[in-house]
């Protein structure tokens, strides 16, 4: 019995290209717990450099998944949080995390150093 392979799903390919980019998915999952400042996110993600964190947050803001809010000081601060579009990803991210905990050995894909 021969089966014809399915065609690649363009939406799924785009989602994994974006979310699979190092730190993007993990940042979104971290922000699912609520707003956080730059330094707090850096501490929550051991191994991410400040420049990469800044780049990834900028990218997530540009595509509308994260919003950046400047808090008037003193001290001046910046806070990041999921937008409605970003929050819509949380159930999928939770399902992926659950799947990984149940099906992937701990040493497989130590992404993000978590």
């Amino acid at each position: 019995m021969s089966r014809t392979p399915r065609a690649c799903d363009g939406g799924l390919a785009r989602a994994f290209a974006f979310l699979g980019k190092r730190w993007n998915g993990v940042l979104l999952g971290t922000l699912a717990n609520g707003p956080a400042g730059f330094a707090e996110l850096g501490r929550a993600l051991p191994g991410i450099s400040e420049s990469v964190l800044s780049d990834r947050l900028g990218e997530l803001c540009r595509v509308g998944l994260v919003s950046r809010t400047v808090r008037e000081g003193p001290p001046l601060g910046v806070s990041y949080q999921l937008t409605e579009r970003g929050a819509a990803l949380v159930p999928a991210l939770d399902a992926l995390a659950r799947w990984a905990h149940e099906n992937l050995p701990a040493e497989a894909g130590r992404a993000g150093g978590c």
Side-chain angles (χ1 to χ4, degrees):
M1 177 181 249
S2 177
R3 296 176 76 174
T4 304
R6 288 191 217 184
C8 176
D9 182 307
L12 192 58
R14 283 192 320 276
F16 273 97
F18 183 79
L19 295 173
K21 191 172 189 179
R22 189 157 189 206
W23 301 110
N24 278 355
V26 177
L27 266 167
L28 291 168
T30 302
L31 287 170
N33 295 320
F38 187 88
E40 185 180 357
L41 288 168
R43 287 190 300 273
L45 301 170
I48 192 169
S49 70
E50 286 187 3
S51 64
V52 171
L53 178 57
S54 179
D55 288 347
R56 294 301 180 263
L57 286 169
E59 183 175 21
L60 292 168
C61 288
R62 278 190 301 280
V63 298
L65 300 177
V66 170
S67 65
R68 178 182 186 268
T69 304
V70 177
R71 294 185 315 265
E72 296 301 323
L76 185 67
V78 176
S79 180
Y80 296 90
Q81 67 182 42
L82 294 179
T83 62
E84 189 175 319
R85 288 175 55 199
L89 280 168
V90 172
L93 294 172
D94 287 344
L96 282 170
R98 232 180 354 271
W99 177 86
H101 287 295
E102 295 170 1
N103 295 287
L104 288 177
E107 61 277 358
R110 281 260 182 221
C114 300

